[in-house]
Amino acid sequence: MNETRKLFVKSFGCQMNVYDSQRMADNLAPEGYVETATADDADLVILNTCHIREKAAEKVYSELGRIRVMKEAAAVEGRRLVIAVAGCVAQAEGGEIMRRAPAVDLVFGPQSYHRLPDLLARAERGEKPVDTEFPADDKFNHLAAPSRAALRRRGVTGFVTVQEGCDKFCSFCVVPYTRGAESSRPVRQVLAEIERLADAGVREVTLIGQNVNAYHGEGFDGRPWSLARLLAHAARISGIERLRYTTSHPGDMTDDLIAAHRDLGALMPQLHLPVQSGSDRVLAAMNRRHHRADYIDVVARLRHARPDLALSSDFIVGFPGETEADFAATLDLVGEIGYASAFSFNYSARPGTPGAELPDQIEDKVKSERLQRLQREIDRSQAAFNRRSLGETFDVLFERPGRHDGQIVGRSPYLQPLQVNAPQSLIGEIAAVTVTEISSNSLFGVLAPAPARQPALLGAEA
Ligand code: SF4
C-alpha cells in the first residue's frame, strides 16, 4: 500500500484543462495521492496552465513565486513540496520554466501526463524532468480509470475529451502548436468512459475537444466515425439524459451534425460556435477559412433543424488591421444572430503565431473602447434571450446547492443557470421549472406541476 500524499491541482483556462486535471488526479490515485483543496498542506502542487489569455506565462511565473515560498516553509517543517508545471504554458516554455523558476521540479505537456508517476519518481531522485513530447502512443490507453467515488464527488455533469489538437491554424491561436495535430479518441474508448460516468450518477455529458466537430475517431467498424454518429451512440447509454459538445469550428458543421440537433432528443438545444469577427477582411487575416455569409448560413441551417437553438460565440476585438468598418460588421453580426451569450476579448499577440508578425497592430485604447461597445451589444442580446424565458417552463437538471438556504441551482436546456427554492434531494434530478424572475442575467424559478414543454421558438426571434 502506498503512503498517502496530498495533491493540489490548480487548473487555468478551458474545460479541457479541467478534464486533464481530473485525469491527472485519477492517474495519481493508485500512487497514494489524494486531492486536497489548498496548496498549503500539499505534497505535490501541479499548475495546469493555459496559454490562451494575455501574459499567460507571466501569470504562471508569479504564481510560482508564491508556491516557492510555500515550498521553503514546508522545507523548514521537514516536508518536501514537489512543484510541477503542466498544460500549454509548459508545452510552450519547456525547460525555460526551470531556468526562470528553479523551485519547479518537473515540467510536462498536455500529451505526457500519463507518464506522471514515472516523472515524479525521477523528480524524487533529484532529476528535473521536462517532458513536452507529442508521443506516438495514445495517453488515454495508459491512464488509470477514476474510481466511482471520485466520479460521484465531481457531480451530476461530466466532461469527456473526445478530440485534441487542431489543424486549422487560425493566425491568432497557439493551440496547433501547444496541443499538436488533430487526433480523435476511438468510439469504443469514449463510450466506455461515458458508461462509467453514467454508472456513477452523471446525467449530462459534454464531449469536448479543441475542434470537437472535426471528430473522426475509429468506430466499431474500424472506419472513422463523425461526431454526429458518436453522439447518437452516446445518447443510447442508459442514465445519460443530456448531451452537449464544445468547441466547434463553423467550417466543420457537417449536415449529419446539423441533423442531430433535429433528431437527437438528448442533444441539448445550445451550441457554442465561435465566429471571432463579423468582417470578411478580418476573418481572412485570421485564417478562419470561412466567410461571414458561411457562418450566417450554418446558423440558419441549425435553426431550421432546431428552431429554439441557443447560440454562444467567441469574439476577438482589435485584430491587426481591424478598421472601424470591420468592427461595425462584428457589432452588426451580434445583432443579426442574436446570441444567448458570448465571450469577447481584446486581441493580444501570442509569440510564435502569424498574427503576432502582422503590421497594423491596433492601439490598446482603441481595442478597449471597441470591446466595451461589443460587450454592451452582447449584453443586450443576452438580456433579450433571457427575457423570452420569462414565464416559460423548462426541464432543469439540478447540479448543486444554491448560495442561500433552501436554494438549489440547475441548468436549463439552453445552459442558463436557474436558481430555485427546492429540496436538496432534487440535486441530480431533472424537474420542470417555470421561470418567474430575471435579474442581471440570473434566472429564478419555481418547480412546475406540469411536465416541461420545450418552447419551440425561444432562440429563433433574434
Ligand atoms: S479552430 Fe480553434 S483551436 Fe483551431 S486554430 Fe482556430 S481558434 Fe485555435
Side-chain angles (χ1 to χ4, degrees):
M1 179 83 185
N2 283 315
E3 173 199 348
T4 299
R5 285 173 288 185
K6 290 186 178 161
L7 161 70
F8 176 70
V9 192
K10 180 163 181 175
S11 280
F12 298 80
C14 66
Q15 275 310 333
M16 295 202 63
N17 263 14
V18 174
Y19 174 87
D20 285 349
S21 296
Q22 290 175 348
R23 299 307 309 265
M24 287 175 204
D26 296 338
N27 213 32
L28 289 174
E31 306 288 313
Y33 282 92
V34 291
E35 281 192 85
T36 174
T38 142
D40 296 333
D41 62 345
D43 300 296
L44 167 62
V45 171
I46 302 176
L47 297 185
N48 192 12
T49 61
C50 166
H51 209 295
I52 292 285
R53 298 283 159 260
E54 195 171 12
K55 301 194 179 84
E58 293 315 309
K59 283 179 191 151
V60 171
Y61 286 117
S62 90
E63 184 78 21
L64 284 171
R66 277 192 290 275
I67 297 170
R68 177 181 53 85
V69 175
M70 288 181 193
K71 182 172 181 145
E72 287 164 357
V76 171
E77 291 168 13
R79 281 192 304 120
R80 178 160 188 219
L81 168 57
V82 175
I83 305 177
V85 181
C88 292
V89 172
Q91 188 69 39
E93 299 266 304
E96 174 68 8
I97 294 181
M98 304 281 198
R99 203 187 57 73
R100 282 188 59 185
V104 171
D105 297 287
L106 63 149
V107 171
F108 56 98
Q111 302 306 333
S112 308
Y113 62 77
H114 57 300
R115 294 201 281 248
L116 199 40
D118 175 52
L119 293 169
L120 276 170
R122 288 172 55 196
E124 268 163 28
R125 291 198 297 269
E127 291 179 40
K128 293 249 182 184
V130 175
D131 188 342
T132 52
E133 298 294 303
F134 288 113
D137 58 339
D138 174 7
K139 68 174 178 248
F140 292 106
N141 286 327
H142 303 278
L143 289 172
S147 69
R148 198 161 182 271
L151 291 177
R152 287 193 86 86
R153 272 197 305 276
R154 288 173 193 162
V156 297
T157 60
F159 293 88
V160 175
T161 291
V162 302
Q163 179 278 339
E164 288 188 292
C166 186
D167 296 343
K168 292 284 189 291
F169 288 91
C170 299
S171 60
F172 54 81
C173 184
V174 288
V175 164
Y177 312 99
T178 58
R179 294 272 179 162
E182 264 175 24
S183 69
S184 300
R185 295 177 70 188
V187 168
R188 193 180 302 280
Q189 203 184 69
V190 171
L191 295 179
E193 192 168 327
I194 299 174
E195 276 165 12
R196 262 201 310 278
L197 291 174
D199 181 54
V202 168
R203 311 290 301 276
E204 175 179 307
V205 170
T206 304
L207 307 185
I208 52 177
Q210 268 97 21
N211 186 12
V212 71
N213 57 345
Y215 178 84
H216 58 272
E218 184 188 306
F220 295 130
D221 53 4
R223 301 163 72 94
W225 280 22
S226 67
L227 184 65
R229 214 164 159 196
L230 177 67
L231 283 163
H233 279 255
R236 291 184 204 148
I237 294 174
S238 164
I240 298 299
E241 307 281 345
R242 294 177 155 199
L243 290 168
R244 305 180 189 274
Y245 61 93
T246 197
T247 291
S248 297
H249 187 279
D252 290 320
M253 286 309 304
T254 50
D255 289 345
D256 64 340
L257 189 53
I258 291 173
H261 282 275
R262 179 193 63 212
D263 301 334
L264 268 189
L267 185 56
M268 290 295 97
Q270 185 274 336
L271 178 64
H272 186 63
L273 193 62
V275 64
Q276 309 296 1
S277 169
S279 153
D280 278 340
R281 234 175 47 83
V282 175
L283 288 172
M286 288 176 166
N287 192 33
R288 285 290 290 172
R289 306 166 188 231
H290 65 81
H291 296 102
R292 174 193 173 103
D294 303 326
Y295 185 84
I296 291 171
D297 176 61
V298 165
V299 168
R301 288 191 292 132
L302 280 160
R303 283 188 166 149
H304 181 70
R306 182 77 207 220
D308 61 333
L309 189 73
L311 281 160
S312 62
S313 186
D314 294 334
F315 291 93
I316 291 174
V317 171
F319 192 74
E322 182 190 75
T323 63
E324 187 54 36
D326 293 321
F327 177 67
T330 299
L331 285 181
D332 179 71
L333 186 72
V334 173
E336 181 166 350
I337 299 293
Y339 290 101
S341 64
F343 300 100
S344 52
F345 306 96
N346 279 341
Y347 172 73
S348 69
R350 292 288 169 277
T353 58
E357 310 298 321
L358 288 173
D360 301 328
Q361 300 279 333
I362 306 291
E363 268 182 74
D364 285 350
K365 196 167 80 177
V366 175
K367 283 194 265 194
S368 298
E369 185 268 335
R370 287 181 187 165
L371 183 64
Q372 281 181 22
R373 282 158 64 198
L374 177 62
Q375 288 180 339
R376 278 198 296 273
E377 191 63 33
I378 291 169
D379 285 350
R380 264 197 291 277
S381 187
Q382 182 169 6
F385 182 85
N386 283 337
R387 263 198 311 277
R388 292 199 294 278
S389 305
L390 200 60
E392 295 288 352
T393 298
F394 309 133
D395 279 340
V396 169
L397 170 59
F398 289 108
E399 296 176 11
R400 57 188 161 83
R403 229 178 295 150
H404 302 292
D405 273 356
Q407 217 174 46
I408 55 175
V409 182
R411 292 210 181 245
S412 78
Y414 310 102
L415 211 57
Q416 299 149 298
L418 254 152
Q419 322 210 24
V420 179
N421 283 324
Q424 302 233 345
S425 56
L426 278 182
I427 292 173
E429 301 294 325
I430 294 174
V433 171
T434 302
V435 180
T436 52
E437 189 189 334
I438 296 168
S439 155
S440 334
N441 284 328
S442 292
L443 273 63
F444 301 84
V446 293
L447 290 176
R453 174 183 66 85
Q454 304 307 339
L457 287 172
L458 190 62
E461 293 169 30

